[in-house]
Amino acid sequence: MSAQPVPQTALPPAPDEQTSTWSPLRNGVFRLLWLAVLGSQVGTWMQTVGAQWLLVDRPNAAALVSLVQTAGTLPVVLLALPAGVLADSLDRRRLLIWVQLFQLTVGVLLTGLTMAGQTTPALLLTLTFALGCGMAVTGPTYQAVIPELVPRHEIRSAAALGSLGVNLARAVGPALAGVLVAHVGVAAVFGINAATLLVFAVVLLLWRPQPPQDAPLPEPFLAAMRAGGRYVRHSPAVRRSLLRIAVFILPAVSLWALLPLVSSQRLGMDASGYGLLLAAVGVGAVLGALVLPRLRAVLSDNRLLAAGSLTYALVLTLLALVPEPVVAAVALVPAGLCWMAVLTNASAELQLFLPRWVLARGLGTFLSVFFGGQAVGAFAWGLLADRVGLVPALLAAAAVTVAGAATIPVWPLIDTHHLNRDPAAPWPQPQLAVEPDRFAGPVVVEVTYTITAEDEPAFLSMTDALRRSRMRTGAVQWGVFRAGESPGHMVEVYVVPTWDEHLRQHSGRMTGADEELNRRVIALSTQPPTVVHLLPVDRGGGQR
């Protein structure tokens, strides 16, 4: 660290809330990648339906069919954060290419085995799990690429298009798979999924981004995992966002978990009718993509979340109390809109807030909460419906959704729009008489400020924010002390695991908001702060 303040970086221009949802599609690279991802998502849903159909006549079919969904999504819960580490440490385009080629290999193998009649349940679930591992890596990596493709003010629109693609795939994929399974066979469904992965890989190969300037050295894997966890733990805005996502997802997923039962038991509809209900949700998602910019222009993030939650609860109540197919189909349109609006807004705000160095890790944490909440919630609501009945379960889900909305004033989303999230380097590189090994540690940093009695309250009021800034960017311990021999000297002390971690604090981990905080703290010191780096030594007295 250095005591020399740097002129503050100007805040980026405020995003245009009326930016069209479709504006990112004017970017040719984004358009091709979005279409390729949409095709891959359609293929994934077709793959899921085909795998489930392959198991419907097996012994213990109910358990095996449910395990298909588990095998496909469990890897995202388990691997999204490690995948984010890889995406933050490696070239994201190359990582995506290799992952698609891996999934393509698995898809071709599954297609061939199915054509030969050799796909056992255990083998099918294993290969589905392997495809899920590829999806776990693709998710945070692709989302972290988006800010490289579109201007900052279009990130919300790009996120809306991503959510729109997910909902379109959810509506289109199962319908296409049903037709193909009935007329051609399951192997054709698996083959089309493999073909979509090939197309995605080809689009990635055709994309030739400019190499980043002064790219940092890759972080060691475990150190990067710990750094990502520390950032989330010491970022109140990220933690609150993840909490609000979990509070919404856990009851809201009841719709997806119980809709097949609503269709068959409450509405007396067959498989085609269920497909129409899913299509209604897809229509709502499209409408959500169209109106979301206007909603953001008139509603704060918290009011948007509250309105979406209450509307969603009303839909669950209607599904429980009004067993009419037309009413259900009409009600599912706003449900799709609310689902898309709430989750798209949360994802977009994280993409805007997270610094580039930890972007994929933060998004990986978001995906873990998102898919984990769906898995836990779907299981819980299905179990409750078995125990007490479908209608009480839907009403209970509606009540929990309303209760979650009632907690928004207590645990609101934290407004971060005013914070400068541009990368900053407020500290020049340290000048040492002894050059330590890059991975030597731990390293103790002492910063001594000269603070008058009049300025002491102002200084102490900023120490909590200072602690969080240091901990987010690499410190594992932090404290502030008064020098006993000189009461006017306040000493900030923090511990960093390695010298490499501290060097990363100097170059790349700080944002404009951290820089502004650093400037305001230094401004209270009547003398330029002095900085001491305490390096580890071995027992022989030599520096490690």
Side-chain angles (χ1 to χ4, degrees):
M1 174 182 174
S2 169
Q4 301 302 317
V6 178
Q8 184 185 6
T9 305
L11 284 171
D16 179 7
E17 297 291 351
Q18 292 293 338
T19 297
S20 167
T21 299
W22 315 108
S23 57
L25 294 176
R26 292 195 291 263
N27 181 313
V29 173
F30 177 84
R31 183 171 62 251
L32 284 175
L33 284 172
W34 183 79
L35 289 171
V37 169
L38 175 60
S40 178
Q41 290 168 339
V42 170
T44 297
W45 277 102
M46 294 177 69
Q47 152 77 28
T48 299
V49 171
Q52 291 173 330
W53 189 260
L54 206 58
L55 297 172
V56 293
D57 294 325
R58 301 276 185 167
N60 303 313
L64 290 173
V65 168
S66 64
L67 282 175
V68 170
Q69 192 73 25
T70 302
T73 57
L74 183 62
V76 181
V77 179
L78 299 177
L79 301 178
L81 181 56
V85 172
L86 294 176
D88 281 331
S89 303
L90 305 176
D91 182 282
R92 289 167 181 164
R93 170 181 167 271
R94 292 182 180 178
L95 178 60
L96 284 171
I97 290 172
W98 282 110
V99 171
Q100 303 323 301
L101 293 177
F102 165 75
Q103 289 183 285
L104 174 61
T105 302
V106 176
V108 170
L109 177 61
L110 181 56
T111 303
L113 289 171
T114 304
M115 292 177 65
Q118 300 299 314
T119 308
T120 64
L123 186 57
L124 176 62
L125 292 173
T126 300
L127 294 177
T128 300
F129 185 86
L131 290 171
C133 291
M135 185 173 68
V137 179
T138 298
T141 307
Y142 173 69
Q143 288 194 29
V145 163
I146 290 175
E148 302 175 15
L149 301 176
V150 300
R152 183 176 175 83
H153 68 273
E154 290 186 351
I155 286 179
R156 291 185 178 89
S157 297
L161 287 169
S163 183
L164 174 62
V166 170
N167 284 279
L168 286 175
R170 189 195 295 265
V172 173
L176 287 178
V179 172
L180 284 173
V181 168
H183 293 87
V184 183
V186 174
V189 172
F190 293 160
I192 289 177
N193 180 49
T196 64
L197 296 167
L198 175 61
V199 170
F200 191 10
V202 170
V203 171
L204 289 166
L205 286 167
L206 294 175
W207 173 37
R208 299 289 182 177
Q210 292 293 324
Q213 298 291 327
D214 302 322
L217 293 173
E219 296 180 63
F221 184 82
L222 292 179
M225 281 275 289
R226 289 191 289 266
R230 279 197 306 270
Y231 187 91
V232 171
R233 190 163 62 253
H234 295 287
S235 176
V238 174
R239 291 203 319 271
R240 184 62 56 78
S241 180
L242 296 176
L243 172 64
R244 296 283 13 144
I245 292 164
V247 169
F248 176 78
I249 282 288
L250 285 170
V253 75
S254 62
L255 177 67
W256 302 106
L258 302 179
L259 190 58
L261 298 178
V262 171
S263 173
S264 60
Q265 297 180 13
R266 293 284 292 166
L267 304 178
M269 304 174 78
D270 57 13
S272 62
Y274 175 57
L276 289 175
L277 296 181
L278 288 177
V281 179
V283 169
V286 174
L287 291 176
L290 292 173
V291 304
L292 189 55
R294 294 180 177 85
L295 292 177
R296 288 199 189 102
V298 298
L299 296 176
S300 67
D301 291 338
N302 285 298
R303 289 183 177 179
L304 179 62
L305 174 60
S309 299
L310 294 176
T311 304
Y312 204 93
L314 177 60
V315 172
L316 291 173
T317 303
L318 286 173
L319 291 177
L321 299 180
V322 184
E324 291 292 336
V326 174
V327 173
V330 172
L332 287 171
V333 173
L337 189 155
C338 293
W339 176 275
M340 197 281 295
V342 169
L343 297 176
T344 295
N345 198 54
S347 174
E349 291 304 318
L350 280 176
Q351 290 183 51
L352 287 166
F353 178 79
L354 290 166
R356 176 177 169 79
W357 70 271
V358 76
L359 178 59
R361 278 166 279 187
L363 293 172
T365 305
F366 163 77
L367 291 175
S368 292
V369 172
F370 176 67
F371 282 96
Q374 288 191 82
V376 172
F379 176 76
W381 294 115
L383 186 63
L384 184 64
D386 281 340
R387 297 289 178 86
V388 303
L390 182 58
V391 171
L394 286 169
L395 292 175
V400 174
T401 304
V402 172
T407 66
I408 293 175
V410 182
W411 300 308
L413 292 167
I414 297 174
D415 184 10
T416 60
H417 294 89
H418 63 287
L419 297 177
N420 185 351
R421 308 308 296 164
D422 288 340
W427 307 339
Q429 293 298 311
Q431 303 297 318
L432 304 182
V434 177
E435 187 63 29
D437 179 81
R438 190 172 184 92
F439 296 102
V443 173
V444 180
V445 181
E446 292 185 355
V447 188
T448 302
Y449 306 90
T450 305
I451 307 296
T452 65
E454 294 77 11
D455 288 334
E456 186 175 311
F459 174 82
L460 294 177
S461 71
M462 289 188 282
T463 53
D464 277 346
L466 193 63
R467 175 185 62 82
R468 287 194 296 268
S469 175
R470 304 294 193 245
M471 300 290 279
R472 281 195 303 268
T473 56
V476 293
Q477 291 179 275
W478 182 94
V480 63
F481 304 89
R482 188 191 307 278
E485 294 77 11
S486 181
H489 286 167
M490 293 289 183
V491 184
E492 177 194 6
V493 180
Y494 60 93
V495 181
V496 187
T498 64
W499 183 243
D500 177 73
E501 289 266 7
H502 184 56
L503 291 179
R504 292 179 188 277
Q505 289 183 308
H506 279 263
S507 55
R509 288 191 175 179
M510 299 289 184
T511 66
D514 296 311
E515 181 182 30
E516 167 61 12
L517 174 64
N518 189 66
R519 185 192 65 78
R520 289 190 287 117
V521 170
I522 290 176
L524 293 176
S525 182
T526 59
Q527 300 292 327
T530 59
V531 182
V532 176
H533 298 87
L534 303 180
L535 306 174
V537 294
D538 60 28
R539 292 193 178 275
Q543 185 265 321
R544 254 194 322 216

